[in-house]
Amino acid sequence: MPRRSLFLLFVVALVCLPLQSAHSANYPSYPVQFIISFPPGGPGDTTIRIIHPALQKNFGGAIQLVNKPGAGGAIAYTYVKKAKPDGYTILSTMSAPLTVGTALRTLPFALDDYEYIGAYAFGATGIVSKPDKRWKDLDGLLAYIKKNPGKLNYGTSGAPTAPYLTMAAVLAIRDLKATPVHYKGSGPARNAALGGHVDFSAGGFGAMQALLRAGKLVGLAITDNARDPKFPDIPTLKEKGLGRASIGLWAGLWAPKGTPKAVLDKLSAALKKTAGDPAVVKKLNKAGFRVEFVDGAGAKRLARQDHETSREIMKAVGIKKK
Amino acid sequence: MGDLFANLYFGFSVSLAPYNLLACFMGVFVGTAIGVLPGLGPVATMSLLLPITIKMEPTAAIIIMAGVFYGAMYGGSTTSILLNLPGEASSVVTTLDGYQMARQGRAGPALAICAWGSFIAGTLGVLGITLMAPALAEMAVKIGPPELVALLCLSFLLVVQFSGGSRPRAAASALLGFLLSTIGLDPVESTPRYDFGTFTLMDGVGFAPLVIGLFGISEVLINLEKSEKMEVFKGRIKGLWPTRQDWRDSAPAIGRGSVVGFFMGILPGMGTIVPPFLSYSLERRISKRPEKFGTGVIEGVAGPEAANNSATAGSMIPLLTLGIAPSAAVAVLTAAFLTHGVQPGPLLITEHPAIFWGVVTSMYTGNALLLLLNLPLVGMWARLLTVPYRYLWPLILLFCGIGAYSVSNNPADVMLMAVFGLLGYMMRKLNYPGAPLVLAFVLGRLFEEKVRQSLVISRGSYETFIAHPLALLAWIASAILLLYPFFLRGKRTTHFPAEEEE
């Protein structure tokens, strides 16, 4: 029965495929899946899609992008944590679910459940308001809140997000009171400020930039370490002595714990080369991200630092872990 | 005005360039195809296309993606009409009268009027973008949570009336929809509710599994228990094209549907799902034969199909002028812009005029292409009904499964789809309509979010809901709607018999 034996051969081949690939010498021998914890079009989705063609070339193998959104990233993080550490399932996303998420909630994954491959794109929290407000800058805003305690509303990108923690921390540090109105994401929070429904908003800086450039919104502060060259007039919180409120928001790559070092190094090297590609840098800048390659060990340090900052802010503001 | 023509001329010179024209055709072709396949939606398809389009010119890439988006609205009605199975969530309403038309052998006219209605609405929508995009976007942003609450309430009241059958059953179905919409993280404080500790339910019930299960799976189950020789209708297909009377009935419905869809599309959260519901209820409200709705009246197909098409045009406005994505599909379009290093927003029109005008004018071309593509297909689709059901249903199940899975690549969503399939089956058996559930589910989520945001902003004062003129207007309209049937009751009974005698 030749047909049947052919079928058996096919089955055997299918079964052997993953076995063979476990040898990292010929890695990658079939497409590597990058799991994205955001829906298509989300912040962590856009960054990887921008670098995807260049990364694939530098990596020398096919990379498949798979969106597994949901539960604030928890579905993707758990999926990768449980995946076989053979280098064929990689987590490609933003740091926040891991760093901020695990501080705010009890989740079945932690900072140490992953191998860190590297970080490449840095976002920031932006604090914005309309240009016709009584204040012109962050100091003006904070002084106005001081005179009108509890009167102002501010939009946030959501209760369990870094921009809310940052804004709450700024207010807590200066001992001020304003009411947060939580929206679903940075886009809606920005629109709330634009439409005048709230007095100012805190959300992902990338989402604000088109309207800032058009002069429809004014940037009061960002959380990044340095000013954005495209917006040299917007100060950082660090400059204002509010550095403790800054939580990093960055895109990186992670692998399941136990992934061979050779695999991690290969991916890390490809990511480093990609982050140095001027065309990639330009596109990421346009999308609102600063590009800098940070290696695995460095990314792990950043994650730990962001996690600690989140916990300190929660303690200071009085937010309980759920 | 002269500027406008110059811009349009410039735009067409971009979009009619052979390469861009080809891109436009590819986009609308793929869009029609995935629209026809139940389950496969524009969001999943567009994200699959993103890596392919990245090597193209930005203008061509956006044109192709936009083509998929509005092209899907054309195809979505096909299976709604032929198999009582919405090809897209936006075509749920089309099943009500479209399928009945198919059972009467009038699948051809139903499909043809969908193509024409979509074309007219799509073109009117693009005309809307061309003429008033920036002004409308600014206005849409001004609509805050309290106004949206009032508008949502008005929408719901408008739609509640439409399910022809028993009112209490429709209300029960809507109530179930509202309850389902409370599953998952609450929209303001992000506290998990009714998720049984699972991640899948943490974000709430997925919309795709709900709709596909409720309509697709249940339809297959119902049909399978009928005799083996299940056919949608027996007898001859009566004509493929709409008659003059069909046109007379549909033309005003298409016009009204276009307007409703366009303006609703601009609002955040409404997407392309709510407008068809509104159009249907509107048509039923003002029809001279409301009691015939649900038995295969053509305006009940034409209006909603027009509405979902002009809604796609409406939802492009916030994206092109403010860089705001009012729906998931438009969010993927945003990603397409960004992956090409183009930032959609107020400066798009001055920084990248070729992209802005190229994309806008490609939508005129695309709608014309879609009409040319879809009209010849009508005959073929109508003949699909002669395929024995035993060959069809395994395929339908397969596509339903793919559709539920492909939205989030989460296997649990397929299980969820199966559960809603059973629920849908029971509801069908007991004569509970499914459409009110879907609508309540969509509106419920948005309603809760906006009510709570309003109350946080107003520090708990309920006055905020009537403090804004637009909200007040919507409340007054709602009140009139509620009381209107009482005034009309006397008038109707005297009026109707006379008309029927004619």
Side-chain angles (χ1 to χ4, degrees):
Chain A
M1 276 181 280
R3 203 186 254 181
R4 189 163 167 199
S5 47
L6 205 68
F7 175 72
L8 275 177
L9 199 72
F10 180 66
V11 171
V12 170
L14 266 185
V15 171
C16 290
L17 209 61
L19 289 179
Q20 180 217 13
S21 64
H23 299 284
S24 47
N26 49 10
Y27 172 83
S29 51
Y30 60 92
V32 175
Q33 283 201 336
F34 273 32
I35 309 296
I36 304 166
S37 74
F38 291 87
D45 180 72
T46 313
T47 49
I48 188 67
R49 279 184 200 275
I50 288 173
I51 73 163
H52 182 231
L55 182 66
Q56 207 162 222
K57 206 170 75 204
N58 296 332
F59 175 59
I63 295 170
Q64 246 175 21
L65 302 182
V66 181
N67 297 81
K68 284 191 187 289
I75 288 182
Y77 275 91
T78 325
Y79 180 84
V80 174
K81 181 190 168 183
K82 288 181 183 161
K84 222 194 254 168
D86 56 4
Y88 287 95
T89 312
I90 302 295
L91 183 67
S92 160
T93 187
M94 298 294 287
S95 58
L98 188 60
T99 55
V100 183
T102 53
L104 282 164
R105 285 182 205 292
T106 313
L107 290 167
F109 54 87
L111 295 176
D112 293 331
D113 288 343
Y114 304 91
E115 309 283 357
Y116 290 66
I117 295 166
Y120 61 95
F122 290 77
T125 290
I127 303 168
V128 297
S129 65
K130 273 178 77 169
D132 59 2
K133 294 284 177 193
R134 298 258 181 91
W135 51 86
K136 292 280 164 275
D137 51 21
L138 186 71
D139 295 326
L141 169 67
L142 296 180
Y144 189 84
I145 299 177
K146 188 158 200 167
K147 266 188 253 154
N148 302 280
K151 290 258 172 65
L152 264 54
N153 295 311
Y154 64 97
T156 84
S157 49
T161 63
Y164 165 55
L165 288 187
T166 292
M167 197 60 234
V170 167
L171 296 173
I173 292 169
R174 292 287 171 87
D175 200 19
L176 300 171
K177 281 216 157 24
T179 307
V181 184
H182 300 303
Y183 286 84
K184 281 185 175 168
S186 300
R190 165 205 62 193
N191 298 351
L194 184 67
H197 313 301
V198 294
D199 300 295
F200 59 101
S201 276
F205 189 50
M208 318 281 186
Q209 296 191 356
L211 292 166
L212 289 172
R213 284 199 300 139
K216 291 187 182 289
L217 287 175
V218 177
L220 304 176
I222 57 170
T223 52
D224 208 1
N225 293 330
R227 293 191 181 203
D228 187 320
K230 292 197 300 304
F231 300 95
D233 298 338
I234 305 177
T236 65
L237 284 181
K238 211 174 175 180
E239 291 171 37
K240 297 281 171 192
L242 293 160
R244 276 183 297 150
S246 291
I247 303 171
L249 291 168
W250 40 275
L253 298 179
W254 291 260
K257 191 99 196 162
T259 305
K261 189 162 182 308
V263 167
L264 299 176
D265 288 345
K266 191 173 161 74
L267 278 163
S268 185
L271 187 64
K272 184 176 182 182
K273 200 168 168 201
T274 309
D277 182 337
V280 168
V281 172
K282 204 174 150 204
K283 277 185 183 171
L284 280 174
N285 283 338
K286 271 259 170 81
F289 294 92
R290 179 171 62 82
V291 183
E292 181 193 339
F293 173 75
V294 177
D295 66 1
K300 194 166 188 171
R301 265 198 308 278
L302 281 179
R304 190 150 287 148
Q305 186 189 323
D306 291 336
H307 183 73
E308 283 313 313
T309 311
S310 305
R311 288 181 47 178
E312 279 163 24
I313 291 176
M314 286 168 62
K315 207 186 275 172
V317 180
I319 302 168
K320 286 206 179 69
K321 187 170 180 174
K322 278 178 186 162
Chain B
M1 217 50 185
D3 259 8
L4 181 66
F5 286 117
N7 286 331
L8 280 178
Y9 179 78
F10 170 61
F12 275 114
S13 74
V14 175
S15 63
L16 291 179
Y19 187 71
N20 290 336
L21 192 63
L22 185 69
C24 184
F25 178 76
M26 289 297 295
V28 297
F29 181 78
V30 172
T32 305
I34 57 123
V36 170
L37 296 174
L40 289 184
V43 179
T45 313
M46 283 157 76
S47 52
L48 282 175
L49 274 179
L50 258 181
I52 301 167
T53 58
I54 206 153
K55 294 217 174 72
M56 303 168 74
E57 284 287 304
T59 314
I62 312 287
I63 286 177
I64 207 171
M65 302 278 282
V68 173
F69 178 38
Y70 58 80
M73 300 299 142
Y74 275 75
S77 54
T78 307
T79 47
S80 297
I81 292 167
L82 297 175
L83 302 167
N84 198 16
L85 189 74
E88 297 301 327
S90 49
S91 293
V92 167
V93 191
T94 313
T95 58
L96 299 175
D97 278 282
Y99 183 60
Q100 292 305 324
M101 283 183 72
R103 290 185 63 177
Q104 294 153 18
R106 307 219 317 124
L111 289 167
I113 209 75
C114 281
W116 277 105
S118 299
F119 169 69
I120 295 166
T123 308
L124 285 176
V126 187
L127 201 66
I129 297 184
T130 319
L131 295 176
M132 359 181 228
L136 281 177
E138 297 276 336
M139 263 160 57
V141 171
K142 294 247 157 58
I143 296 176
E147 289 99 319
L148 264 176
V149 168
L151 285 174
L152 285 169
C153 207
L154 178 63
S155 309
F156 186 69
L157 277 176
L158 271 168
V159 171
V160 163
Q161 333 252 352
F162 85 74
S163 52
S166 134
R167 283 277 168 82
R169 285 194 169 145
S173 172
L175 186 67
L176 189 60
F178 277 130
L179 289 178
L180 284 172
S181 79
T182 61
I183 293 177
L185 296 180
D186 89 89
V188 171
E189 295 300 327
S190 293
T191 313
R193 302 182 300 201
Y194 315 120
D195 64 356
F196 300 101
T198 64
F199 284 148
T200 304
L201 289 179
M202 204 163 138
D203 280 342
V205 172
F207 187 70
L210 175 77
V211 171
I212 297 171
L214 212 54
F215 292 90
I217 304 294
S218 73
E219 176 67 21
V220 170
L221 291 177
I222 291 273
N223 284 331
L224 282 184
E225 69 180 22
K226 290 179 190 156
S227 74
E228 212 174 276
K229 275 192 283 172
M230 138 79 199
E231 278 167 69
V232 175
F233 84 106
K234 296 187 175 94
R236 249 165 43 83
I237 295 172
K238 293 178 224 153
L240 279 181
W241 306 111
T243 61
R244 189 167 291 200
Q245 183 58 42
D246 287 340
W247 270 111
R248 215 170 291 148
D249 291 335
S250 329
I254 291 174
R256 285 186 290 263
S258 304
V259 175
V260 168
F262 182 71
F263 288 100
M264 295 288 287
I266 304 174
L267 297 179
M270 296 292 189
T272 52
I273 297 156
V274 185
F277 278 95
L278 267 177
S279 163
Y280 189 86
S281 60
L282 182 70
E283 289 312 317
R284 188 160 182 268
R285 269 263 152 207
I286 58 182
S287 172
K288 286 194 194 114
R289 44 172 186 174
E291 74 287 349
K292 287 276 198 311
F293 271 70
T295 63
V297 291
I298 197 156
E299 59 266 36
V301 176
E305 279 301 315
N308 67 30
N309 262 281
S310 59
T312 58
S315 64
M316 295 280 285
I317 288 184
L319 172 71
L320 291 174
T321 57
L322 291 175
I324 292 167
S327 70
V330 181
V332 187
L333 264 181
T334 319
F337 275 101
L338 291 174
T339 46
H340 282 96
V342 178
Q343 205 170 46
L347 296 181
L348 181 68
I349 196 163
T350 46
E351 284 179 349
H352 302 278
I355 295 183
F356 182 90
W357 291 108
V359 170
V360 169
T361 52
S362 85
M363 290 172 73
Y364 287 103
T365 326
N367 274 295
L369 284 174
L370 277 164
L371 188 69
L372 290 177
L373 192 69
N374 277 274
L375 280 182
L377 287 177
V378 167
M380 194 192 93
W381 291 130
R383 285 236 300 282
L384 183 76
L385 293 181
T386 55
V387 175
Y389 200 68
R390 62 175 182 279
Y391 299 127
L392 277 183
W393 73 262
L395 279 175
I396 296 175
L397 276 191
L398 176 72
F399 282 118
C400 286
I402 294 175
Y405 179 75
S406 64
V407 176
S408 318
N409 297 312
N410 183 358
D413 279 338
V414 183
M415 303 299 291
L416 211 57
M417 171 195 80
V419 172
F420 283 113
L422 283 178
L423 175 73
Y425 174 75
M426 287 191 292
M427 284 173 64
R428 296 275 290 271
K429 279 277 165 193
L430 301 170
N431 254 324
Y432 283 83
L437 188 155
V438 172
L439 184 84
F441 179 76
V442 175
L443 291 182
R445 243 180 220 187
L446 208 55
F447 188 74
E448 186 196 352
E449 182 189 334
K450 294 302 161 194
V451 167
R452 293 184 58 184
Q453 280 167 358
S454 305
L455 289 174
V456 170
I457 292 174
S458 75
R459 304 285 184 278
S461 156
Y462 283 85
E463 263 168 49
T464 177
F465 292 115
I466 49 167
H468 306 263
L470 181 69
L472 197 62
L473 210 67
W475 289 122
I476 293 171
S478 307
I480 293 174
L481 255 181
L482 271 178
L483 299 173
Y484 174 73
F486 297 104
F487 293 120
L488 213 72
R489 193 161 286 164
K491 210 171 134 202
R492 271 267 159 93
T493 42
T494 54
H495 217 78
F496 256 106
E499 251 179 32
E500 272 165 21
E501 273 165 32
E502 281 170 25

